[in-house]
């Protein structure tokens, strides 16, 4: 009988600790919407719809951009593009996302860059319209894209 009470007490204590652990665990930050579409003009390299996907973990955020409107003119190795996405902050200022992450692309593949890393503050509202994307390949070919209208369904709002 005594062993049974001891086991029950341990079970209750373990359950209480688990509940406390959940209560004090850090919450995952969220960005809404997680995905947005923007129409971009990339000059002689083309233009059209691009999909932006945002994630957030605390004050660190990433954005990945993919568009079939701009394609790889030649084969491009993994993580060989230098990219910088400048987003416009509601209320003034900008936030820059940078990185050298990209999948390997064959000639004619859709352009994809990211995840590009940046720093956000709680409540930051970021929009691609008014900003730029600069992608440099092979150290000397630079593609600059600008949004032609606000992103849909709306700007990214970070927690």
């Amino acid at each position: 009988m005594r062993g049974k009470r001891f086991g029950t007490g341990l079970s209750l204590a373990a359950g209480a600790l688990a509940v406390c652990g959940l209560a004090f665990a850090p919450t995952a930050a969220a960005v809404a919407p997680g995905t947005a579409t923007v129409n971009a003009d990339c000059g002689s390299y083309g233009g059209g719809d691009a999909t932006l996907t945002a994630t957030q973990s605390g004050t660190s955020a990433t954005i990945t951009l993919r568009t079939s409107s701009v394609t790889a003119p030649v084969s491009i190795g993994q993580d060989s593009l230098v990219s910088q996405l400048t987003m416009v902050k509601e209320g003034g200022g900008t936030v820059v996302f940078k990185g050298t992450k990209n999948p390997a692309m064959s000639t004619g593949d859709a352009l994809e860059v990211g995840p590009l890393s940046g720093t956000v503050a709680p409540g930051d509202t970021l929009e691609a319209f008014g900003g730029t994307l600069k992608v440099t390949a092979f150290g000397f070919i630079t593609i600059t894209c600008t949004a032609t209208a606000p992103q849909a369904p709306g700007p990214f709002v970070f927690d």
Side-chain angles (χ1 to χ4, degrees):
M1 184 80 153
R2 186 173 154 165
K4 187 174 185 182
R5 274 192 240 158
F6 184 71
T8 302
L10 281 177
S11 294
L12 288 174
L17 285 173
V19 168
C20 287
L22 287 175
F24 294 108
T27 57
V31 57
T35 302
T37 302
V38 66
N39 188 284
D41 177 7
C42 300
S44 60
Y45 292 98
D49 286 343
T51 300
L52 300 166
T53 303
T55 63
Q56 178 184 5
S57 177
T59 59
S60 297
T62 64
I63 296 182
T64 300
L65 182 137
R66 187 174 197 287
T67 180
S68 58
S69 300
V70 177
T71 58
V74 295
S75 292
I76 297 172
Q78 181 177 348
D79 300 337
S80 64
L81 298 176
V82 177
S83 303
Q84 177 176 307
L85 174 65
T86 303
M87 303 281 288
V88 176
K89 188 188 301 189
E90 181 180 81
T94 59
V95 174
V96 177
F97 293 83
K98 296 179 180 180
T100 57
K101 297 289 185 189
N102 63 273
M105 293 174 257
S106 298
T107 302
D109 283 355
L111 176 66
E112 182 175 341
V113 295
L116 307 176
S117 301
T119 302
V120 295
D124 274 356
T125 300
L126 303 181
E127 166 71 60
F129 186 55
T132 59
L133 170 68
K134 291 185 180 181
V135 179
T136 302
F138 310 113
F140 64 92
I141 299 171
T142 300
I143 301 169
T144 302
C145 302
T146 56
T148 60
Q151 65 191 49
F156 294 122
V157 180
F158 295 86
D159 279 347

